[in-house]
Amino acid sequence: MSNTGAAHAASHDHGHHDKTGTVIFGFWIFLMSDLIAFSLMIANYADAEWHGIANGPSPHELFSLGLPTIETMALLISTFTFGICTLGMKYGASMKRTVGWLVLTLALGAIFLGIELYEFHEFWTEGNTPQVSGFLTAYYSLVGLHGLHVTSGIIWGILLMVQMKTFGMNDLIKSRLVRLGLFWHMLDIVWIALFTKVYLMGVL
Amino acid sequence: MSILGSLDWNDIFIVPFFTEPSLSTGIAAGAGGVVVLGALAVMVLLTVKGWWKPLWSNWITTLDHKKIGVIYIVLALIMLIRGVLEAVVMRAQQVSPAPGFLSVEHHAELFSTHGTIMIFFVAMPFLTGVINVVMPLQIGARDMEFPFMNAVSLWLSIGGAALVMASLVVGHFETGGWTAYPPYTGIKLSPNEGVDYWIWSLGLTSVGSTLSGINFLVTIYKQRAPGMKLFDMSIFAWATLCTAILMIFAMMPLTVASLMLALDRQAGFHFFTATQGGNMMNFANMFWLFGHPEVYILILPAFGVFSEVIPTFSGKKIYGYTSLVWATIAIAVLSFTVWVHHFFTMGQTANLNAIFGIATMTIGVPTGVKVFNWMLTMWRGKLRFSTAMLFSTGFIFTFVIGGITGVMLANPTIDFATHNSLFLVAHFHNMLIPGLLFGMFAAVNFWFPLCFGFRLDEKWGRRSFWLWMIGFYGAFMPLYAIGLMGAPRRMAFFTEPAYFPWLVIAMLGALCVLAGLIAQVIQIWVSVKNRESLMVPAGDPWDGRGIEWSLGCPVPEYDFTTIPAMTSREPWVDAKEAGKRIMDPTEFVDIHLPKPTGMPFLVGLVATLFAFAMIFQMWLIAAVGFVAMWVLVLIRSYDTDWEETITAEELREGYEAHKRLVETTPQIRLDDEFTTKNRGLIMETQV
């Protein structure tokens, strides 16, 4: 045991440990906690779409696949563009190019959000508000929670671009961009679950 | 709508006493008055003594894990006083002739705040504080991995506690118990701001706990001393790791459930309203998805403390390290599989109940393993009954009784007869008083010198132990008896004469517990007064085993002059057995410590303002508070100059100074451990 200890000690830098890696690890852990919130909301939705219709519409009556498919495509493409953004950063792309891909990503996120809000607005004006039934409460809350996450991701991205201008592409900014990337990709994965559960299975 | 939302004059604590004078409103006004006068007295004291500035620069702005830990523990002790006082008032209510001196609503508020405070604002800050102080020292770290976030967690917890205190002065707390089940807590049956107090005070503290969990976990994974593998860590660090994982996964269901309840109440949503397709069972499920792991968040750190205290005061290494670690892991995993046992009677199938009943009983197995570990550690050891050791042994006896009644309750057929009775109340107090409070009291008595440099008074410590121990049995054994006789919990008064003698005993027990608490206050007072004679500057006052005892007392701000080389599970014991009195230094290098900052305090302050505004529906102020909170975080993100350097030379000087101190401290016998001869560095092997 003392051998491995010494080997470990030799490879370990006392004063400066790898702060970037640690912060990203911590952020992974936070995302796991956040996923618990989504899982609970999905479980609640799965219950409400069967037992919570009350006097309101059923998922089958409410949803169509047209707009949700378009918004899904926007979000899926945005995760691809974010991937290019971070890969470019890793291989030393210029700041202009990194910012360009980030802007494209956030714009796709904004399109996703716009379509979602448009759909909320449509349902709302038809009288299908969250106050109508347990199902509609669950629908607005689940999809809305995801939408709030996307909104905060967009705000975060914009603020990060301002900081890129202030600080340049230093390690701190790179680390923040990687964390925003993790957040963004997680939202994509969560959306795939939501699209399947809420829209695909709802329409079927 | 007014900018002050639903707030009006009748919400101020003193007004109801004048509009409807009674003993009940008088007590409420008195309690509010104590809070207001207490706050004023503290402010006057700080001003007269000129302590504002040192308070700000040494404590409020600190990012040092030890000081943050101390603040958490102080918060827990203050809230403990309120919690115990409420218990005494409730016991007095139930022995006075029906219908008692409290209104039914007032009594309901008391048991709701008592439960909420004891779980969220005594137990949680207490264990978080002890972990903050001890864990980094045991794994050879200089601080938590994220010191700024650590301070934010602290101020969010304090904000939550401040809201519960504010409910004594402005408005009311809820009346639905600490679990706050809808539909009772829905807007129709609980229209006032009470439930919102519950939602938002828990909202603040549960976010704080989630962040603490992340901090503890990352610290343990990334900051261990070179050479320290996970299976080299102390049992307390293991308990912290498992607790951290539980915090990360279990706090979120509470946050989600309470926010859903908030939406139901304020926005007319239907998560839990049965008439509109909501399902209140989902609340119970989510609450206990949090609540059951929470029980182990509360108890695992205390298990960790006992696993440190018992070997030290038995003069032996812990028996069965590996089995103890695996038992801890097993408990953490199983804690997520048993939540349904909190509502066996809510109508699910018998088979489902059977599965959860069996899972619940299974937890008894790893817990039993631990009890044997502790007993076999003491077996043939040379036992020294310090206050910490008394609390630890008292725990083992008492906790086993609670465990047995727990296995009884785990059987759904028995649970059908005893749920919602005082039998259940007796059971969970029987788990949490020894299994949490005794552990934390042991921790404070054990590790106190690390923070302040002097020991706590043993005489008053032992008195407090006996008062707590006797008080506990007096207060809760009668509840088992009348629970089996059929007494339901949460009753404002009983008319059954057969309960009366038992309730009188319980009342006396509660007074005895109060006396124990007073003894602890006296213990701290006496210790501070006699601190000169209780000083242990050379460190290690009890022939300790962990590497935290290789440091001087109080521990310097940077913790370790050099990070110890971990050559075994107990390098400090090895060093002492080799005749050394100080551990060999490794390499002196410049280190960086976080600079103090007032930002976490401001974040907590603004978050509390936001929460308060949400409670009274002051939407504009809430929005401003919410935005301000994130603006503060944004401002912090521009601050890149957050560290200050301590040079290798300063560290070397620190080491040399400690070495000189160690060399000039006379070595004394273990028998003189509790006398004023103890200036630190007790060793059993040599005299």
Side-chain angles (χ1 to χ4, degrees):
Chain A
M1 185 158 72
S2 55
N3 281 341
T4 55
H8 191 140
S11 68
H12 199 281
D13 188 354
H14 291 269
H16 309 260
H17 61 285
D18 173 19
K19 192 71 188 173
T20 308
T22 310
V23 171
I24 290 173
F25 176 64
F27 196 73
W28 270 111
I29 308 291
F30 160 73
L31 290 181
M32 285 160 74
S33 187
D34 205 17
L35 276 178
I36 299 284
F38 279 113
S39 345
L40 292 169
M41 298 298 282
I42 291 174
N44 181 68
Y45 179 86
D47 175 36
E49 76 175 344
W50 285 103
H51 304 293
I53 304 297
N55 301 318
S58 68
H60 190 73
E61 290 158 349
L62 196 66
F63 301 136
S64 61
L65 282 182
L67 283 176
T69 309
I70 299 172
E71 66 174 319
T72 304
M73 289 319 291
L75 199 66
L76 288 182
I77 295 169
S78 82
T79 214
F80 176 70
T81 55
F82 208 137
I84 294 179
C85 172
T86 38
L87 270 179
M89 183 188 80
K90 185 179 172 187
Y91 292 106
S94 68
M95 166 117 93
K96 208 168 148 191
R97 198 171 266 207
T98 308
V99 170
W101 284 108
L102 188 53
V103 169
L104 185 59
T105 305
L106 299 184
L108 286 163
I111 291 172
F112 167 87
L113 207 57
I115 297 175
E116 188 173 297
L117 287 175
Y118 173 77
E119 212 180 26
F120 276 7
H121 179 252
E122 290 292 290
F123 293 153
W124 201 287
T125 45
E126 287 162 17
N128 293 321
T129 63
Q131 289 85 1
V132 170
S133 69
F135 158 63
L136 282 168
T137 287
Y139 165 72
Y140 280 98
S141 314
L142 172 61
V143 176
L145 178 70
H146 181 271
L148 275 178
H149 275 74
V150 175
T151 312
S152 43
I154 292 172
I155 297 172
W156 181 0
I158 293 168
L159 293 173
L160 195 54
M161 286 192 286
V162 177
Q163 293 199 334
M164 279 180 194
K165 203 161 167 52
T166 322
F167 292 117
M169 285 301 273
N170 62 14
D171 282 356
L172 187 66
I173 296 297
K174 283 182 183 171
S175 151
R176 284 176 186 166
L177 190 64
V178 170
R179 274 178 272 160
L180 175 59
L182 287 177
F183 184 72
W184 199 265
H185 296 316
M186 180 203 75
L187 291 183
D188 206 34
I189 294 168
V190 169
W191 180 256
I192 290 170
L194 293 199
F195 180 69
T196 311
K197 180 68 207 161
V198 176
Y199 296 102
L200 278 182
M201 291 167 77
V203 171
L204 280 178
Chain B
M1 196 190 308
S2 132
I3 191 163
L4 288 181
S6 61
L7 198 61
D8 73 46
W9 284 111
N10 280 322
D11 289 328
I12 305 301
F13 69 103
I14 204 102
V15 175
F17 177 63
F18 290 108
T19 49
E20 313 159 50
S22 72
L23 193 50
S24 188
T25 50
I27 289 172
V34 168
V35 174
V36 173
L37 290 177
L40 281 175
V42 170
M43 282 188 206
V44 168
L45 182 73
L46 289 174
T47 313
V48 170
K49 294 264 185 184
W51 282 347
W52 282 105
K53 212 166 167 224
L55 181 72
W56 173 263
S57 48
N58 293 340
W59 293 94
I60 291 176
T61 59
T62 187
L63 297 188
D64 179 349
H65 69 96
K66 300 179 288 296
K67 285 185 179 171
I68 287 178
V70 169
I71 302 175
Y72 267 119
I73 294 170
V74 170
L75 170 70
L77 291 175
I78 292 171
M79 298 307 280
L80 179 66
I81 292 171
R82 175 168 168 196
V84 169
L85 286 175
E86 284 173 335
V88 171
V89 174
M90 284 190 282
R91 284 278 143 262
Q93 155 79 6
Q94 290 188 336
V95 293
S96 51
F101 54 89
L102 296 174
S103 71
V104 175
E105 285 75 23
H106 193 174
H107 179 263
E109 249 184 88
L110 276 173
F111 68 67
S112 303
T113 45
H114 173 80
T116 307
I117 285 174
M118 286 302 200
I119 297 288
F120 294 101
F121 301 108
V122 176
M124 291 297 274
F126 219 146
L127 69 93
T128 310
V130 171
I131 289 173
N132 255 297
V133 171
V134 177
M135 184 271 283
L137 296 176
Q138 286 197 328
I139 63 167
R142 292 194 194 280
D143 207 322
M144 287 291 170
E145 184 61 59
F146 306 119
F148 182 83
M149 191 167 90
N150 200 22
V152 171
S153 299
L154 168 73
W155 290 106
L156 288 177
S157 302
I158 293 180
L163 287 178
V164 181
M165 294 310 273
S167 76
L168 281 178
V169 182
V170 186
H172 298 84
F173 204 73
E174 53 120 5
T175 52
W178 80 282
T179 52
Y181 278 3
Y184 178 73
T185 49
I187 196 75
K188 281 204 180 119
L189 295 172
S190 296
N192 74 6
E193 66 287 338
V195 179
D196 304 300
Y197 261 122
W198 182 86
I199 290 170
W200 292 103
S201 57
L202 262 55
L204 292 184
T205 186
S206 67
V207 170
S209 294
T210 309
L211 298 179
S212 290
I214 295 172
N215 222 334
F216 298 158
L217 181 119
V218 177
T219 307
I220 288 181
Y221 271 119
K222 298 285 186 183
Q223 290 277 22
R224 294 194 310 282
M228 182 188 261
K229 290 179 290 184
L230 282 176
F231 272 83
D232 290 340
M233 295 197 306
S234 66
I235 300 283
F236 182 76
W238 263 107
T240 304
L241 177 58
C242 293
T243 305
I245 292 171
L246 295 184
M247 282 176 170
I248 291 161
F249 290 110
M251 296 315 292
M252 199 48 110
L254 174 69
T255 312
V256 170
S258 57
L259 289 181
M260 283 176 167
L261 186 59
L263 282 169
D264 270 13
R265 289 173 57 82
Q266 305 295 354
F269 280 34
H270 297 296
F271 284 112
F272 309 124
T273 44
T275 49
Q276 296 284 327
N279 185 347
M280 56 198 125
M281 280 304 298
N282 285 342
F283 184 90
N285 269 293
M286 282 188 287
F287 185 86
W288 289 110
L289 261 174
F290 145 77
H292 204 85
E294 165 75 7
V295 173
Y296 294 94
I297 293 175
L298 301 181
I299 237 159
L300 286 179
F303 284 177
V305 173
F306 299 130
S307 307
E308 303 293 315
V309 170
I310 291 174
T312 302
F313 290 104
S314 305
K316 283 174 67 189
K317 77 170 190 233
I318 188 85
Y319 179 91
Y321 173 93
T322 314
S323 61
L324 200 44
V325 170
W326 280 108
T328 309
I329 297 171
I331 291 172
V333 172
L334 287 172
S335 73
F336 282 103
T337 65
V338 300
W339 78 92
V340 171
H341 73 211
H342 293 275
F343 42 93
F344 276 148
T345 54
M346 283 209 202
Q348 59 275 27
T349 63
N351 283 343
L352 194 80
N353 277 353
I355 289 167
F356 278 89
I358 292 164
T360 306
M361 294 177 200
T362 312
I363 292 196
V365 177
T367 316
V369 168
K370 282 168 170 272
V371 170
F372 283 105
N373 282 129
W374 294 317
M375 292 200 302
L376 288 168
T377 304
M378 287 190 278
W379 175 250
R380 290 189 172 164
K382 189 181 169 196
L383 305 189
R384 290 121 63 203
F385 284 96
S386 64
T387 308
M389 186 65 171
L390 281 174
F391 274 116
S392 304
T393 41
F395 150 80
I396 295 180
F397 283 107
T398 314
F399 190 76
V400 167
I401 299 172
I404 290 167
T405 56
V407 175
M408 289 162 71
L409 285 163
N411 184 333
T413 49
I414 297 178
D415 184 79
F416 266 67
T418 50
H419 87 112
N420 263 0
S421 74
L422 286 178
F423 188 82
L424 172 76
V425 174
H427 161 71
F428 68 69
H429 284 89
N430 198 342
M431 303 311 270
L432 287 176
I433 291 178
L436 176 106
L437 277 180
F438 283 13
M440 296 302 120
F441 295 156
V444 169
N445 278 283
F446 187 54
W447 280 306
F448 190 87
L450 288 181
C451 293
F452 296 100
F454 55 96
R455 294 179 293 120
L456 284 172
D457 185 79
E458 278 290 323
K459 195 171 67 182
W460 279 102
R462 287 171 201 194
R463 283 175 186 165
S464 78
F465 164 74
W466 287 110
L467 288 167
W468 267 97
M469 186 79 170
I470 296 165
F472 164 77
Y473 280 92
F476 294 103
M477 293 298 135
L479 299 197
Y480 275 128
I482 50 176
L484 287 180
M485 288 156 77
R489 71 194 289 201
R490 294 176 175 169
M491 298 297 281
F493 54 88
F494 294 106
T495 48
E496 168 58 58
Y499 298 161
F500 185 73
W502 298 102
L503 287 169
V504 172
I505 300 171
M507 164 79 196
L508 295 174
L511 285 175
C512 194
V513 165
L514 180 65
L517 190 60
I518 293 168
Q520 284 170 317
V521 175
I522 297 173
Q523 184 194 18
I524 294 173
W525 178 263
V526 169
S527 313
V528 171
K529 210 176 72 184
N530 300 334
R531 61 185 176 279
E532 288 306 323
S533 60
L534 293 168
M535 285 277 181
V536 285
D540 196 11
W542 351 88
D543 194 23
R545 308 186 72 85
I547 53 172
E548 75 271 24
W549 297 116
S550 67
L551 304 166
C553 291
V555 174
E557 192 198 355
Y558 45 76
D559 293 1
F560 295 90
T561 49
T562 65
I563 299 294
M566 295 299 293
T567 47
S568 74
R569 208 170 265 163
E570 292 184 325
W572 177 233
V573 175
D574 296 346
K576 287 197 282 189
E577 277 173 4
K580 289 178 185 154
R581 307 176 78 191
I582 185 166
M583 271 170 90
D584 294 330
T586 52
E587 184 193 357
F588 291 100
V589 287
D590 289 359
I591 56 163
H592 308 284
L593 292 181
K595 274 186 192 167
T597 164
M599 204 58 109
F601 171 74
L602 289 180
V603 172
L605 192 69
V606 174
T608 309
L609 184 72
F610 158 72
F612 185 78
M614 290 301 286
I615 293 167
F616 285 97
Q617 302 168 36
M618 311 170 184
W619 306 125
L620 185 67
I621 297 177
V624 171
F626 184 79
V627 172
M629 196 161 67
W630 287 103
V631 167
L632 287 170
V633 173
L634 182 67
I635 293 172
R636 169 72 179 177
S637 78
Y638 274 90
D639 183 5
T640 51
D641 180 29
W642 60 61
E643 286 179 329
E644 56 197 13
T645 305
I646 294 184
T647 61
E649 204 40 50
E650 284 174 74
L651 292 173
R652 185 188 299 279
E653 280 163 18
Y655 172 79
E656 298 295 342
H658 181 52
K659 196 173 172 198
R660 278 193 299 279
L661 185 66
V662 164
E663 280 162 0
T664 52
T665 301
Q667 205 157 15
I668 59 155
R669 293 168 181 280
L670 207 51
D671 302 338
D672 294 329
E673 185 174 31
F674 305 124
T675 67
T676 51
K677 282 187 196 163
N678 187 352
R679 309 304 281 174
L681 274 182
I682 291 214
M683 286 193 204
E684 195 183 17
T685 44
Q686 303 159 346
V687 178

